[in-house]
Amino acid sequence: MLRRFVQVGARQATRAQSTAAAQEKWDLYAGVLVERLPVVSKSLSPVEQQFQDLLWRVEYENSLKSDHELKNERELAQAKLIKQGKVQVDLDDSMTKQTAQDLKDAYVEELKKFQLGSRTTPDDAAKKTSSTDRCLEDTLYLLVQQKLGQQQHMILPQGKRQDGESMRQTAERVLREQCGDDLQVLFYGNAPVGFHKYKYPSNQRAESVGAKVFFYRASLRTGNVGDKKTPGPKYEWLPKDALDGKLTNVAYADSIKKFLL
């Protein structure tokens, strides 16, 4: 009899907890992961460089001769015959004719003047994290400073959904309000790529117990945060391995890492 009473009481307590949880109200937020994609390809490791050299050598050995190489061989064979006196040559014509060897010499001189562009920029040297002209081999992610509760945090741009908005529309509005019109991005789709939720402190709960944040992914096309008239909030463009030092909330950081590429 006592066991049955305990089981009934436990079921009633569980049902009451489920009902209370269902009645909890949460604020809906949209966040945006803005990424500046790599500008140049990754530098090759020693092993990758050796493999690439091998592929180039195999391709060179198996390739057919180009028209320039065939022309050069014909001209060399003709020059040999002329030297042996077996072929007569028009001196006026030979003086004005540009040979394949002349072209090759010109190409070699032009190649000597060519300089590869640097993979680092002045902003790399200055460690200017507000610039997108740095870390050209890596993907950079945008963090902005926003006030959560009584403290300022570096997080992905986010804002509360307004009535009548879809979550995608909220994401677009939030990014525009937080970062200005100068920042032009391309959203990848209408569906969120990530999710995070957190509860407000007990003394700050009014109608809602917490926030549920749905993250959208977007790639940078042009511009930057703020403009000349409106500087915008404090912000940084950071590679993936530098995010841990800025995302101080462990649960939030773990939620972000789930959809980082």
Side-chain angles (χ1 to χ4, degrees), residues 162-193:
Q162 296 178 355
D163 292 339
E165 284 184 331
S166 66
M167 294 305 295
R168 163 69 182 267
Q169 290 171 336
T170 301
E172 293 175 342
R173 175 182 56 79
V174 165
L175 192 64
R176 185 170 58 253
E177 292 177 351
Q178 290 281 341
C179 303
D181 294 328
D182 187 53
L183 187 73
Q184 299 295 314
V185 304
L186 175 66
F187 279 84
Y188 288 138
N190 294 322
V193 297

Side-chain angles (χ1 to χ4, degrees), residues 49-257:
Q49 186 63 57
Q50 292 177 8
F51 184 66
Q52 186 184 67
D53 293 340
L54 174 63
L55 292 179
W56 283 349
R57 187 162 60 252
V58 171
E59 181 180 359
Y60 176 77
E61 292 172 354
N62 295 334
S63 63
L64 298 176
K65 293 181 178 179
S66 66
D67 292 341
H68 173 77
E69 291 172 310
L70 294 174
K71 179 182 178 182
N72 189 43
E73 289 180 355
R74 290 195 301 267
E75 290 176 348
L76 290 175
Q78 187 179 29
K80 185 177 181 180
L81 293 175
I82 293 174
K83 186 176 181 179
Q84 294 172 355
K86 297 180 180 180
V87 176
Q88 298 294 326
V89 62
D90 186 347
L91 295 179
D92 293 335
D93 182 60
S94 62
M95 291 294 291
T96 59
K97 183 179 179 181
Q98 187 179 39
T99 64
Q101 186 61 44
D102 294 333
L103 287 173
K104 182 178 179 180
D105 293 340
Y107 295 156
V108 170
E109 289 299 319
E110 185 176 356
L111 179 61
K112 290 179 180 179
K113 299 176 182 178
F114 179 78
Q115 297 292 331
L116 291 174
S118 175
R119 286 180 170 265
T120 59
T121 68
D123 289 341
D124 279 308
K127 297 182 179 180
K128 187 178 179 181
T129 57
S130 62
S131 171
T132 57
D133 188 29
R134 55 185 289 273
C135 299
L136 302 182
E137 297 184 8
D138 301 315
T139 299
L140 297 181
Y141 300 98
L142 175 64
L143 297 182
V144 299
Q145 188 179 69
Q146 289 185 243
K147 186 176 182 180
L148 297 178
Q150 301 300 321
Q151 296 180 340
Q152 298 285 346
H153 297 272
M154 295 298 293
I155 59 174
L156 302 182
Q158 70 175 42
K160 188 176 180 181
R161 175 184 173 273
Q162 296 178 355
D163 292 339
E165 284 184 331
S166 66
M167 294 305 295
R168 163 69 182 267
Q169 290 171 336
T170 301
E172 293 175 342
R173 175 182 56 79
V174 165
L175 192 64
R176 185 170 58 253
E177 292 177 351
Q178 290 281 341
C179 303
D181 294 328
D182 187 53
L183 187 73
Q184 299 295 314
V185 304
L186 175 66
F187 279 84
Y188 288 138
N190 294 322
V193 297
F195 170 77
H196 176 70
K197 71 175 182 178
Y198 57 92
K199 287 191 174 183
Y200 302 142
S202 300
N203 58 354
Q204 296 181 15
R205 296 179 186 176
E207 298 179 355
S208 305
V209 297
K212 294 184 177 181
V213 189
F214 296 87
F215 295 102
Y216 288 78
R217 184 185 296 273
S219 63
L220 176 68
R221 301 182 70 182
T222 60
N224 206 336
V225 177
D227 51 42
K228 294 180 180 179
K229 295 182 180 179
T230 307
K234 179 183 177 182
Y235 64 94
E236 292 184 276
W237 293 93
L238 300 173
K240 183 178 180 179
D241 56 5
L243 293 179
D244 286 339
K246 295 294 181 178
L247 300 176
T248 55
N249 185 283
V250 177
Y252 182 82
D254 289 342
S255 297
I256 300 300
K257 290 177 182 177

